[in-house]
Amino acid sequence: MNRLSVDAFKEAPKMPLIVVLDDVRSMYNIGSVFRTCDAFRVEAVYLCGITAQPPHPEIHKTALGGEDSVTWRYFKTAKEAVEELHRNNTFVYAVEQCEGSTKLQELSIVNCQLSINSFAVIFGNEVKGVHQEVVDICDGCLEIPQFGTKHSMNVSVTAGIVIWEFARQLLLK
């Protein structure tokens, strides 16, 4: 199946995307995000606040080793992570439903690439979402349109959809 070893993965070029988890409670969600990040060769995962860190058996259960291949860092708060991302010339999106948000299907990152080094997307707590103080310092918000009775989706599902859109625009051009 032409799979990379962990060592080959670490050496391979990465998609210029950093995934930030802001107080994500479920270790199964964290593991699922790691696995998706491995699938698309995401640059890194930033774990913030109460978000658990590897190694942990519950993270491994869904990550299936993705936590070993994908580079990750821990920050006390997502605000600290965003501040560092901005210092590194990274364009940061919060994935949240808010006034003025960009619908995911309207995202055009090709137009943003001229003056930035990479992108970051922040996914929030399963109940409260991304902290408002973090949303306030982001460069924009992304929103996945929804057509049912619910106004939210599981954080790992949301991450998969958003990461796929970045991969579609950055890797599959």
Side-chain angles (χ1 to χ4, degrees):
M1 293 189 80
N2 233 5
R3 292 188 181 133
L4 298 175
S5 68
V6 171
D7 290 337
F9 180 96
K10 289 186 180 286
E11 296 298 319
K14 305 295 184 292
M15 177 169 52
L17 178 66
I18 295 169
V19 171
V20 180
L21 300 182
D22 180 14
D23 280 347
V24 173
R25 296 177 308 173
S26 166
M27 287 188 255
Y28 298 127
N29 283 335
I30 297 164
S32 292
V33 170
F34 266 107
R35 189 169 170 186
T36 300
C37 289
D38 174 277
F40 293 105
R41 269 199 251 154
V42 166
E43 185 177 322
V45 174
Y46 288 2
L47 307 170
C48 305
I50 66 166
T51 307
Q53 303 161 55
H56 195 284
E58 287 183 36
I59 292 173
H60 181 74
K61 183 173 184 174
T62 52
L64 296 177
E67 74 278 27
D68 299 324
S69 56
V70 177
T71 299
W72 63 271
R73 291 183 55 196
Y74 175 78
F75 291 83
K76 186 175 177 183
T77 67
K79 184 178 179 201
E80 291 174 9
V82 171
E83 290 167 349
E84 179 168 309
L85 288 162
H86 280 152
R87 283 191 299 274
N88 292 324
N89 203 26
T90 300
F91 194 93
V92 182
Y93 286 105
V95 180
E96 254 325 315
Q97 297 169 339
C98 58
E99 192 166 327
S101 64
T102 300
K103 303 292 189 228
L104 189 60
Q105 74 273 17
E106 296 168 0
L107 176 66
S108 178
I109 55 180
V110 173
N111 297 330
C112 299
Q113 289 184 285
L114 299 176
S115 62
I116 63 164
N117 291 329
S118 61
F119 297 92
V121 286
I122 303 176
F123 301 95
N125 176 274
E126 292 89 340
V127 175
K128 298 178 182 179
V130 178
H131 286 96
Q132 187 62 49
E133 70 174 359
V134 174
V135 171
D136 292 343
I137 62 171
C138 286
D139 300 304
C141 288
L142 292 176
E143 180 177 338
I144 299 172
Q146 297 171 47
F147 307 101
T149 61
K150 303 300 173 200
H151 296 282
S152 67
M153 292 186 288
N154 177 277
V155 66
S156 67
V157 171
T158 300
I161 293 168
V162 171
I163 294 167
W164 162 250
E165 183 58 25
F166 276 84
R168 190 183 70 77
Q169 292 191 37
L170 290 170
L171 302 178
L172 302 174
K173 25 182 174 167

